[in-house]
Amino acid sequence: MMLMQDEVTWRCPVTCPKCKSEQPDSAQFCSQCATPLTDQKLAIKSKIPTWLGVLIVLALVFVGIAIRNMMQENERLRANQRRIPPVVTYQTPQPQPRSVNLTNGAATVGATSYTSYKFVVPENVSQVVVNGHFVATGGTGNDIDCFILDEDGFANLKNGHPTRTYYNSDRVTQAKIEVRNLAPGTYYILLDNRFSLFTPKAVQIEATLSYVQ
């Protein structure tokens, strides 16, 4: 049966360091010159086969290469992280309902005169609504005319010309005010008492502009 290389190394004869004669592996002293052989056997047994030494060297080389590659990869990742700016998430503001009071609650409208309240519908809004209510007292009819107009209509009405109105109560004592879907722009709530030649009117009016922005 063949022996492995390391097995042959362990069983080879011992050479006497003094007289160079070969001695059995089990000998403690040289049979020729009585020189102790213990140190010589230890030196032989400590020899590492060449193939094993080559494997150890190759393994160390591969481990070194792997460590170097890993360090280079980590450095590359850190460099990329430094170059990439942090991701910032922006949240789009959600539309919010808003409400604006348009009148101060009470108004006195003189004979042959009118009182107006100016308001603005902003750009980029939706679900525009003007809501309100008024009650008029004074004179024999306890009545008033109430209109909602844009700027052109307001100018025409003041000068006695026919005009377009977004709301017209007619001549009444009290009424609900409601107008929807006004476009962005400037508008007026008008309390008109020009038909009364002698009597002023007291008007209790509440109006609110609502929209989503």
Side-chain angles (χ1 to χ4, degrees):
M1 182 179 64
M2 294 183 62
L3 296 176
M4 298 297 292
Q5 183 178 353
D6 57 341
E7 292 177 337
V8 174
T9 301
W10 284 95
R11 289 168 175 78
C12 66
V14 178
T15 301
C16 177
K18 185 175 181 179
C19 66
K20 307 303 180 183
S21 63
E22 290 187 355
Q23 303 295 321
D25 182 60
S26 60
Q28 300 294 320
F29 298 93
C30 178
S31 62
Q32 302 296 323
C33 63
T35 299
L37 301 178
T38 304
D39 295 339
Q40 184 69 7
K41 288 194 295 182
L42 290 174
I44 292 174
K45 291 182 180 180
S46 65
K47 291 181 181 178
I48 299 176
T50 302
W51 65 270
L52 183 57
V54 172
L55 286 180
I56 292 174
V57 172
L58 291 176
L60 292 175
V61 171
F62 288 142
V63 170
I65 292 174
I67 292 175
R68 185 190 65 180
N69 291 341
M70 183 175 64
M71 293 177 64
Q72 290 177 346
E73 180 67 16
N74 289 339
E75 182 61 29
R76 185 182 66 81
L77 291 176
R78 285 195 293 268
N80 289 338
Q81 289 175 353
R82 288 193 294 268
R83 286 196 297 267
I84 298 174
V87 177
V88 179
T89 302
Y90 296 96
Q91 291 186 346
T92 303
Q94 296 298 316
Q96 298 294 326
R98 303 183 185 278
S99 181
V100 181
N101 289 328
L102 302 180
T103 62
N104 56 11
T108 299
V109 186
T112 68
S113 183
Y114 63 84
T115 295
S116 64
Y117 302 90
K118 180 179 179 180
F119 66 94
V120 176
V121 176
E123 298 284 346
N124 301 318
V125 299
S126 62
Q127 302 180 34
V128 179
V129 180
V130 177
N131 277 320
H133 188 267
F134 69 88
V135 178
T137 57
T140 57
N142 294 316
D143 50 7
I144 197 82
D145 283 327
C146 181
F147 305 100
I148 294 181
L149 316 96
D150 58 19
E151 287 191 297
D152 291 338
F154 183 53
N156 287 327
L157 189 72
K158 287 191 300 181
N159 290 283
H161 302 304
T163 187
R164 173 192 177 188
T165 62
Y166 294 89
Y167 172 81
N168 184 350
S169 69
D170 293 325
R171 195 168 303 166
V172 294
T173 297
Q174 63 185 55
K176 179 182 178 181
I177 301 171
E178 183 174 0
V179 180
R180 295 181 177 274
N181 301 320
L182 291 175
T186 301
Y187 298 87
Y188 297 84
I189 297 175
L190 185 71
L191 298 176
D192 190 0
N193 193 35
R194 290 177 298 174
F195 63 86
S196 178
L197 299 178
F198 305 105
T199 308
K201 305 295 173 64
V203 182
Q204 188 70 29
I205 181 170
E206 304 290 341
T208 302
L209 170 65
S210 302
Y211 53 84
V212 174
Q213 185 179 41

